[in-house]
Amino acid sequence: MEQFKKVAIVGVGVIGGSLALAIKEKNLARKIVGVSRHRKTISLAKQCGAIDSGACDINVLEGADLLIFAAPVSVILKLAKAVSGIINKDCIVTDVGSTKKEIVASLEKIFPNYVGSHPLAGSEKQGVLNANGELFKNSSCILTPTGRTNTAALSKIELLWEELGAKTFSLSPGIHDQVLSFVSHLPHAVAFSLLDSVPKRYLKFAASGFRDTVRIAFSDEGIWSDIFLSNRKELLKAVGSFEKSLSRIKSALKKGDKKLLSGILKKTTTKKII
Amino acid sequence: MEQFKKVAIVGVGVIGGSLALAIKEKNLARKIVGVSRHRKTISLAKQCGAIDSGACDINVLEGADLLIFAAPVSVILKLAKAVSGIINKDCIVTDVGSTKKEIVASLEKIFPNYVGSHPLAGSEKQGVLNANGELFKNSSCILTPTGRTNTAALSKIELLWEELGAKTFSLSPGIHDQVLSFVSHLPHAVAFSLLDSVPKRYLKFAASGFRDTVRIAFSDEGIWSDIFLSNRKELLKAVGSFEKSLSRIKSALKKGDKKLLSGILKKTTTKKII
């Protein structure tokens, strides 16, 4: 059912492109326009049917009733002010940024109908050619409303994610960043470090366990350095907590204490991921 | 083609069971017998067609022309002497242990036709019910011959793994343990620590990136504490190297230096796993 007349997506990479495809599949918008810094991206996004039209110029955002920022956090922060001069006051605005404190504080001052979103779905593969309209099916999406959030806008954004197949949760931006520092940013930092530390000549002996553990270390370094820096305080705390866990294993290894080591490992093997 | 009359497998868990099934599928043995500490395992291994007969008693190993140890390293070391009193002198002996220095040094003194093997294939799932006759197809298997290794036995073991679908490599036991400390033991230590450090209440927000990164942390703690301790010197060195990589990320985070951080991450995103 058509919920929006004109959906505008700023950044049509793998996430923006998947959103466009999913919105199209569900017939939620009459028209989808895309904005990218690169002409090539716009033409690819059109070719694969994700957007109806697009440009490198933000003026095409005019008249949108839903605007989705799907660019890196630092890019969104730079563009927001200029975009607010183009779209209507009643346009609902959301973003899919992986950190929320900084962006919510900034965007909710600029856009009266802003709601922060973070779909917990993604891929280490980049670009609109890897976009997938099914990406959000059976996924989770965290919304980060605050005291300033317009409740009608919140309901519409909640409904949008649910229509795309995601289960929605609400967390404050600060709590979101704490949780994500552990379940997403820390694993990326660990995977990057792990792949970095292994001598290249050993990699031909890597089996599936290694490959899975470092899969996310093949993600885009531009996006991830951005995410890390935008949540660096929480990430440094999470890294500290990880280092404590690793130290316990190291200490048991140094002591050669099988019972101690086995006990430490058992604590994790019995943990459940719901 | 039948290569062995009686194959004996000590330890019919996921690896021993998969080996039995693969040897059967390829008709490489007239008969397969299994030994386990648990009666239940023997009956399950018989039920799923992995072994023809089995017992908790090592006397059933008598008359084997190929003996495969597929038990944890510490168990193999304890059993070896007693087993050598039961099997014939010309029986070919191998093992599938994940560390090689300790076990090769010990077993090559006890068995004249011993060749160390390490198939780089496995599963975080345990038990013969998770055995899979295809496990070794398109995998790699490291053999660890030394100056003492009987060359006829080496050729037979090499051929065996190739028949099961694995590409074989030869490394000295010491180099094997160095390589594996990086591509297998370190990732496990890191995954265990990562899962340990994440507060339980945050786990419901874990998406596929987190799940893949910690998958191997659900492996058996008994087997892994055994592997870690048996290779603890190399593992501690690998952990040290990992900590240096993580420190570089931490330091860039503390400085808030986007260019530095992006450069560090780029080093890994451009690494290739062959």
Side-chain angles (χ1 to χ4, degrees):
Chain A
M1 202 200 68
E2 200 178 286
Q3 284 177 21
F4 301 99
K5 283 182 191 133
K6 177 174 175 178
V7 172
I9 301 181
V10 177
V12 275
V14 66
I15 300 292
S18 298
L19 261 171
L21 288 170
I23 289 172
K24 275 203 176 287
E25 276 173 26
K26 292 280 177 183
N27 288 314
L28 302 179
R30 194 174 303 166
K31 190 186 170 186
I32 303 186
V33 300
V35 167
S36 170
R37 278 172 296 181
H38 311 290
R39 268 169 185 276
K40 179 87 187 149
T41 304
I42 293 297
S43 76
L44 288 173
K46 270 197 269 188
Q47 266 171 47
C48 67
I51 58 173
D52 301 300
S53 62
C56 296
D57 180 353
I58 57 172
N59 282 307
V60 295
L61 303 174
E62 204 187 331
D65 50 351
L66 172 65
L67 174 75
I68 305 171
F69 284 108
V73 175
S74 63
V75 175
I76 301 175
L77 292 174
K78 270 182 221 157
L79 281 180
K81 207 76 198 152
V83 168
S84 77
I86 290 161
I87 60 167
N88 300 332
K89 277 261 175 295
D90 55 357
C91 174
I92 293 174
V93 177
T94 191
D95 75 295
V96 296
S98 298
T99 59
K100 291 264 86 78
K101 215 172 153 181
E102 197 181 3
I103 205 164
V104 171
S106 171
L107 296 198
E108 71 178 4
K109 280 183 205 139
I110 299 173
F111 302 104
N113 291 307
Y114 169 76
V115 183
S117 305
H118 182 198
L120 303 181
S123 171
E124 77 283 10
K125 291 175 189 150
Q126 290 113 43
V128 71
L129 291 180
N130 290 302
N132 164 16
E134 312 273 291
L135 188 62
F136 309 102
K137 274 193 186 154
N138 302 315
S139 71
S140 297
C141 183
I142 303 177
L143 304 179
T144 55
T146 70
R148 284 176 84 135
T149 305
N150 177 304
T151 53
L154 175 60
S155 302
K156 276 214 150 187
I157 290 295
E158 212 161 29
L159 185 63
L160 169 70
W161 287 110
E162 283 162 9
E163 293 263 18
L164 302 183
K167 193 173 166 185
T168 58
F169 296 88
S170 283
L171 295 179
S172 75
I175 297 291
H176 168 277
D177 287 3
Q178 258 175 42
V179 173
L180 270 287
S181 72
F182 275 99
V183 300
S184 171
H185 312 160
L186 174 63
H188 277 80
V190 160
F192 279 120
S193 305
L194 180 58
L195 186 54
D196 182 52
S197 67
V198 177
K200 267 189 184 167
R201 65 189 184 283
Y202 292 177
L203 289 175
K204 69 172 172 178
F205 296 108
S208 62
F210 183 81
R211 283 162 205 264
D212 281 356
T213 309
V214 300
R215 178 177 64 78
I216 55 175
F218 294 100
S219 305
D220 182 81
E221 73 272 3
I223 292 170
W224 280 94
S225 52
D226 221 47
I227 293 172
F228 283 4
L229 285 173
S230 144
N231 199 25
R232 66 191 181 122
K233 275 195 187 163
E234 293 301 335
L235 176 53
L236 282 166
K237 278 191 237 167
V239 169
S241 165
F242 167 80
E243 286 175 325
K244 269 189 205 153
S245 296
L246 186 58
S247 285
R248 279 194 285 275
I249 290 181
K250 270 171 69 181
S251 152
L253 277 174
K254 281 179 190 161
K255 288 181 192 155
D257 187 334
K258 161 104 179 155
K259 204 174 153 192
L260 178 62
L261 184 57
S262 187
I264 294 170
L265 304 190
K266 189 164 191 162
K267 254 186 69 194
T268 76
T269 56
T270 52
K271 238 173 178 171
K272 291 264 177 296
I273 306 183
I274 300 153
Chain B
M1 202 198 68
E2 201 178 286
Q3 285 178 18
F4 303 99
K5 285 182 190 133
K6 178 175 174 178
V7 173
I9 300 179
V10 177
V12 275
V14 66
I15 300 291
S18 297
L19 261 170
L21 287 171
I23 289 171
K24 276 203 175 284
E25 277 174 25
K26 292 278 175 184
N27 289 315
L28 302 178
R30 193 173 304 165
K31 190 184 169 188
I32 303 185
V33 300
V35 167
S36 169
R37 281 171 294 180
H38 311 288
R39 268 170 187 276
K40 178 86 188 151
T41 303
I42 293 297
S43 76
L44 287 175
K46 271 197 269 188
Q47 268 172 47
C48 64
I51 59 174
D52 301 301
S53 62
C56 296
D57 180 354
I58 58 172
N59 282 308
V60 294
L61 303 175
E62 205 187 331
D65 49 353
L66 172 66
L67 175 74
I68 304 169
F69 284 109
V73 175
S74 62
V75 175
I76 301 175
L77 292 173
K78 271 182 220 157
L79 281 178
K81 209 73 199 152
V83 168
S84 76
I86 291 161
I87 59 168
N88 299 332
K89 276 262 176 293
D90 55 359
C91 174
I92 293 173
V93 177
T94 191
D95 75 295
V96 295
S98 298
T99 60
K100 291 264 85 76
K101 215 170 154 183
E102 196 180 4
I103 206 164
V104 171
S106 170
L107 297 198
E108 72 178 5
K109 281 184 204 136
I110 300 172
F111 303 104
N113 292 307
Y114 168 75
V115 183
S117 305
H118 181 197
L120 304 181
S123 171
E124 77 282 10
K125 291 176 186 149
Q126 290 113 43
V128 71
L129 292 181
N130 290 302
N132 163 18
E134 312 273 291
L135 188 63
F136 309 103
K137 272 193 187 156
N138 304 314
S139 72
S140 298
C141 182
I142 303 177
L143 304 179
T144 56
T146 70
R148 286 176 83 139
T149 305
N150 178 305
T151 52
L154 175 60
S155 301
K156 276 215 153 189
I157 290 294
E158 212 160 29
L159 185 63
L160 169 70
W161 287 111
E162 282 163 9
E163 294 262 17
L164 303 184
K167 191 173 167 184
T168 58
F169 297 87
S170 282
L171 295 179
S172 74
I175 297 290
H176 168 277
D177 286 4
Q178 258 174 43
V179 173
L180 270 286
S181 72
F182 274 99
V183 300
S184 171
H185 312 161
L186 174 63
H188 276 82
V190 160
F192 279 122
S193 304
L194 181 57
L195 187 54
D196 182 51
S197 66
V198 177
K200 266 188 187 167
R201 65 189 183 282
Y202 292 176
L203 289 173
K204 70 172 171 176
F205 296 107
S208 62
F210 183 82
R211 284 163 205 264
D212 281 356
T213 309
V214 300
R215 178 177 65 80
I216 55 176
F218 294 99
S219 305
D220 184 81
E221 74 273 3
I223 291 171
W224 279 95
S225 53
D226 221 46
I227 293 172
F228 282 3
L229 285 172
S230 145
N231 198 25
R232 65 192 182 121
K233 273 194 189 164
E234 293 301 335
L235 177 53
L236 282 166
K237 278 192 236 166
V239 169
S241 165
F242 167 80
E243 287 176 324
K244 269 189 205 152
S245 297
L246 186 57
S247 284
R248 278 194 286 274
I249 291 181
K250 268 171 70 182
S251 152
L253 277 175
K254 280 180 191 161
K255 287 180 193 155
D257 188 334
K258 161 103 179 157
K259 203 176 155 190
L260 178 63
L261 184 57
S262 187
I264 295 169
L265 304 190
K266 188 162 192 162
K267 255 187 68 194
T268 75
T269 55
T270 53
K271 242 175 175 169
K272 290 267 176 294
I273 307 182
I274 301 154

